[in-house]
């Protein structure tokens, strides 16, 4: 429900949004970042120009400029307050552009491991840095040189306002507007029109983007809902995973993100090889992680390894007639289960067989006739679990007794996930590089602030290169185990791809 009054617009968070919001309250768990390294002339990034572009995007995508109010665990709301004028819109955008000095590594480390950048009052921001020169208005305005310089930009948002696809599409739109031939005055005219459309008339005509749960097709009746619950529970019960990284506790979380980029020739060879075996690089990466882990440690060869990844639900959504923003979260999750043993001979044949198995499981998850009801039930389960944990974190008795440990062991098979994979595909399909000739992108890294003991592997192609990165808490695991796994990932890439 979208609630209006003359001074604000609001709606409740859906289950998926709440499942990301509640854990973020203390220290920003799941706050996303997208880092892009690029070359440009200083005038392209003039502060007034950047502020106009950011203001336009924040109007087009209102969740970016919302705040969040929590009334109780079941009533958490996005709140949007109308801007009084174009100037107020521009001022708010400027307040959410942070200028820094430092390297890419320093920026990312500060965002991941330092004090939280975002908050319930700031759901998004831009961070701009030039390593050898403090980037501010006076420097840029006085620099009329035609020379190109290297910059680092970070687009930061909370995860409950969107997902990776929204993040990359937004960066593409940002660079397209920045690099356009429109003067800053012409951008101001666009901003005025966007403001007038939203706030210059009847404010009640404007709506916040609907939640994922509102946009998924609804159950047709009680029987379908009951059948969906049974199917979801059965599908979850079939998941079997007996491998996980040994953890340790005590030290504060510290996230690191080792990243490797393969050159264009090597990338073409890898893609060609995958195509010849009828798999994608994404499917191959599941098998790479499986092989790399079994070379790292294999205490339970009789149990399979289970990995999880995000499932894009945008193709299944009903249209939002009142809002065309792409900034909303629309993901669920699926699992890939592969054998937990490694043969001593013919590892290459085993690898390609497991890559095809990963492809079949991924396709089955995305095209399953029950994908919508399963996603709805998973969203509800995740939302309920997040609310229960939030109550416990806040010191409230949930009234739900924990099952006896012996009963849990006897009734449920092991279902541990080894690692999560974020497989973004070919990002050059999103970034229309020819649309922003005044900006030359060369580096992309993405991730999020993590909880202690978290780990996520990213794989994608960008500017013609294959990139693989591993974001993990270096203080959350048995010493040396993740480093050995990462080395085995790279070695497996060299020997099998």
């Amino acid at each position: 429900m979208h609630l209006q009054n003359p001074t604000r617009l609001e709606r409740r968070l859906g289950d998926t949004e709440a499942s990301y919001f509640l854990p973020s309250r203390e220290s920003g768990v799941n706050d996303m970042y997208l880092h892009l390294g690029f070359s440009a002339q200083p005038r392209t990034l003039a502060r007034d120009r950047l502020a106009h572009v950011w203001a336009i995007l924040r109007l087009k995508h209102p969740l970016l400029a919302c705040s969040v109010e929590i009334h109780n665990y079941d009533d958490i709301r996005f709140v949007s307050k109308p801007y009084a004028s174009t100037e107020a819109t521009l001022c708010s955008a400027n307040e959410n552009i942070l200028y820094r000095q430092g390297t890419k590594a320093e920026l990312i480390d500060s965002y991941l491991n330092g004090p939280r950048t975002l908050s319930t009052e700031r759901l998004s921001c831009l961070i701009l840095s030039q390593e050898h020169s403090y980037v501010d208005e006076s420097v840029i305005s006085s620099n009329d040189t035609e020379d190109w310089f290297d910059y680092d930009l970070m687009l930061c948002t909370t995860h409950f306002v969107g997902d990776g696809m929204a993040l990359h599409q937004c960066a593409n739109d940002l660079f397209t507007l920045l690099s356009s031939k429109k003067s800053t005055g012409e951008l101001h005219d666009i901003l005025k029109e966007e403001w007038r459309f939203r706030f210059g008339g009847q404010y009640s005509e404007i709506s916040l983007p609907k939640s994922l749960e509102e946009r998924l097709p609804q159950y047709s009746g009680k029987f379908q809902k009951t059948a969906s619950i049974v199917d979801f529970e059965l599908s979850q019960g079939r998941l079997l995973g007996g491998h996980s990284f040994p953890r340790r506790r005590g030290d504060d979380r510290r996230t690191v993100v080792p990243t490797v980029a393969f050159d264009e020739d090597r990338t073409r060879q890898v893609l060609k090889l995958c195509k010849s075996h009828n798999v994608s690089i994404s499917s191959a990466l599941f098998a790479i992680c499986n092989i790399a882990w079994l070379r790292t440690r294999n205490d339970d060869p009789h149990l399979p390894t289970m990995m999880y990844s995000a499932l894009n639900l945008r193709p299944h959504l009903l249209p939002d007639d009142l809002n065309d923003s792409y900034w909303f979260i629309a993901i669920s999750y699926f699992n890939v289960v592969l054998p937990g043993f490694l043969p001593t001979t013919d590892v290459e044949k085993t690898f390609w067989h497991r890559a095809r198995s990963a492809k079949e499981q991924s396709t089955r998850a995305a095209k399953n006739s029950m994908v919508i009801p399963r996603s709805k039930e998973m969203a509800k389960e995740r939302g309920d679990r997040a609310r229960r944990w939030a109550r416990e974190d806040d010191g409230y008795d949930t009234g739900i007794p924990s099952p006896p440990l012996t009963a849990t062991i006897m009734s449920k098979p092991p279902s541990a996930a080894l690692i999560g994979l974020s497989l973004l595909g070919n990002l050059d399909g999103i970034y229309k590089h020819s649309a922003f000739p005044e900006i030359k992108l060369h580096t992309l890294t993405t991730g999020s602030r993590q909880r202690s003991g978290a780990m996520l592997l990213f794989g994608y192609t960008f500017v013609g290169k294959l990139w693989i990165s591993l974001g993990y808490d270096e203080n959350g695991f048995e010493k040396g185990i993740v480093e050995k796994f990462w080395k085995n990932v790279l070695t497996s890439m060299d020997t099998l791809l």
Side-chain angles (χ1 to χ4, degrees):
M1 181 178 180
H2 299 259
L3 308 172
Q4 287 98 4
N5 66 41
T7 59
R8 58 195 270 147
L9 174 68
E10 59 188 80
R11 77 154 171 84
R12 290 185 179 181
L13 272 65
D15 280 325
T16 301
E17 293 163 337
S19 74
Y20 280 98
F21 167 75
L22 288 167
S24 76
R25 295 176 302 156
E26 181 179 358
S27 60
V29 169
N30 294 318
D31 286 358
M32 302 188 296
Y33 77 91
L34 169 60
H35 163 269
L36 290 149
F38 62 94
S39 300
Q41 295 172 313
R43 64 169 178 265
T44 305
L45 293 166
R47 178 159 189 160
D48 196 37
R49 184 176 186 83
L50 180 58
H52 274 83
V53 169
W54 186 224
I56 291 168
L57 291 173
R58 283 161 59 89
L59 283 181
K60 286 177 173 288
H61 307 290
L63 291 187
L64 292 175
C66 279
S67 60
V68 173
E69 292 181 359
I70 177 167
H71 299 272
N72 58 58
Y73 300 106
D74 297 299
D75 187 4
I76 310 164
R77 301 182 184 184
F78 286 118
V79 176
S80 173
K81 298 178 181 179
Y83 295 109
S85 64
T86 305
E87 288 67 31
T89 308
L90 196 57
C91 180
S92 178
N94 252 319
E95 290 173 350
N96 290 283
I97 303 175
L98 310 179
Y99 291 85
R100 297 286 186 265
Q101 182 180 5
T103 64
K104 162 196 166 183
E106 290 168 341
L107 290 176
I108 293 175
D109 179 71
S110 176
Y111 183 79
L112 292 179
N113 299 309
R116 188 184 184 191
T117 303
L118 305 177
S119 68
T120 55
E121 297 297 320
R122 171 187 277 169
L123 304 189
S124 67
C125 73
L126 298 178
I127 301 174
L128 181 65
S129 172
Q130 187 181 359
E131 180 179 349
H132 301 298
S133 168
Y134 183 78
V135 183
D136 68 4
E137 183 178 12
S138 61
V139 172
I140 292 178
S141 298
S142 63
N143 195 342
D144 295 324
T145 178
E146 296 296 313
D147 293 339
W148 288 58
F149 296 89
D150 284 333
Y151 296 90
D152 290 290
L153 179 79
M154 288 179 65
L155 171 55
C156 309
T157 76
T158 61
H159 209 332
F160 53 87
V161 305
D163 50 36
M165 291 300 99
L167 204 60
H168 293 292
Q169 187 60 56
C170 187
N172 178 76
D173 292 350
L174 180 109
F175 287 129
T176 300
L177 278 171
L178 276 176
S179 191
S180 71
K181 296 186 180 299
K182 297 184 185 297
S183 67
T184 301
E186 290 172 317
L187 290 175
H188 190 75
D189 291 338
I190 294 174
L191 179 62
K192 284 196 293 187
E193 282 302 310
E194 291 288 345
W195 179 86
R196 187 177 296 115
F197 171 71
R198 286 164 176 79
F199 305 126
Q202 183 63 38
Y203 185 48
S204 62
E205 296 175 3
I206 306 304
S207 171
L208 295 177
K210 294 179 180 179
S211 69
L212 168 65
E213 291 76 22
E214 289 180 284
R215 294 189 60 177
L216 285 173
Q218 301 302 303
Y219 294 123
S220 59
K222 289 183 179 180
F223 176 78
Q224 187 190 33
K225 183 174 182 178
T226 302
S228 298
I229 294 172
V230 172
D231 168 78
F232 174 72
E233 291 176 348
L234 289 173
S235 68
Q236 294 296 104
R238 287 192 292 267
L239 298 175
L240 182 63
H243 296 251
S244 61
F245 285 84
R247 287 171 166 76
R248 64 186 172 101
R249 300 182 183 274
D251 295 329
D252 292 339
R253 174 192 58 81
R254 178 169 179 78
T255 300
V256 295
V257 194
T259 303
V260 171
F262 299 87
D263 65 34
E264 294 181 46
D265 288 341
R266 176 74 191 286
T267 297
R268 280 192 290 268
Q269 292 172 1
V270 170
L271 295 175
K272 183 178 180 181
L273 185 59
C274 287
K275 186 176 181 180
S276 71
H277 286 271
N278 196 30
V279 299
S280 66
I281 184 62
S282 295
S283 301
L285 284 174
F286 279 111
I288 287 287
C289 288
N290 171 256
I291 300 292
W293 169 250
L294 298 179
R295 285 172 168 169
T296 302
R297 176 173 290 187
N298 192 7
D299 296 336
D300 296 296
H302 61 289
L303 292 174
T305 60
M306 184 168 69
M307 295 162 278
Y308 68 89
S309 190
L311 181 64
N312 177 19
L313 294 178
R314 290 176 186 260
H316 303 285
L317 301 183
L318 299 173
D320 185 345
D321 296 331
L322 298 177
N323 202 297
D324 61 357
S325 173
Y326 51 72
W327 263 110
F328 54 89
I329 187 167
I331 57 174
S332 187
Y333 292 92
F334 70 97
N335 296 278
V336 167
V337 178
L338 297 175
F341 63 89
L342 188 63
T344 55
T345 59
D346 215 350
V347 174
E348 183 177 354
K349 182 179 179 181
T350 299
F351 164 72
W352 289 114
H353 177 76
R354 293 182 185 181
R356 285 189 290 272
S357 176
K359 175 188 175 182
E360 292 166 3
Q361 292 179 61
S362 302
T363 301
R364 194 158 59 240
K367 297 186 177 181
N368 194 291
S369 61
M370 299 296 287
V371 64
I372 293 173
R374 285 181 183 178
S375 298
K376 290 166 71 72
E377 293 306 316
M378 181 173 288
K380 184 178 184 304
E381 180 183 85
R382 286 171 56 85
D384 290 344
R385 185 168 60 229
R387 294 181 185 96
R388 185 172 69 252
W389 287 351
R391 290 186 178 97
E392 292 174 355
D393 290 342
D394 294 343
Y396 293 105
D397 184 358
T398 62
I400 302 174
S402 299
L405 181 60
T406 52
T408 303
I409 293 173
M410 291 173 62
S411 63
K412 289 189 66 177
S415 56
L418 175 68
I419 191 173
L421 285 80
S422 180
L423 304 170
L424 306 174
N426 179 21
L427 293 179
D428 289 324
I430 296 178
Y431 291 92
K432 310 299 182 185
H433 300 277
S434 61
F436 38 88
E438 301 301 314
I439 294 172
K440 304 297 182 186
L441 299 177
H442 55 72
T443 308
L444 184 153
T445 312
T446 189
S448 62
R449 284 174 67 95
Q450 295 179 325
R451 68 179 78 246
S452 296
M455 180 187 302
L456 191 61
L457 185 137
F458 295 85
Y460 50 91
T461 52
F462 177 70
V463 293
K465 300 177 182 179
L466 170 62
W467 301 70
I468 300 175
S469 65
L470 181 67
Y472 69 97
D473 173 15
E474 66 176 359
N475 292 332
F477 300 92
E478 182 180 292
K479 193 171 181 61
I481 191 76
V482 182
E483 292 79 2
K484 185 178 180 181
F485 168 75
W486 178 238
K487 181 180 179 181
N488 284 334
V489 166
L490 300 181
T491 301
S492 298
M493 291 289 297
D494 288 337
T495 57
L496 298 172
L497 288 173

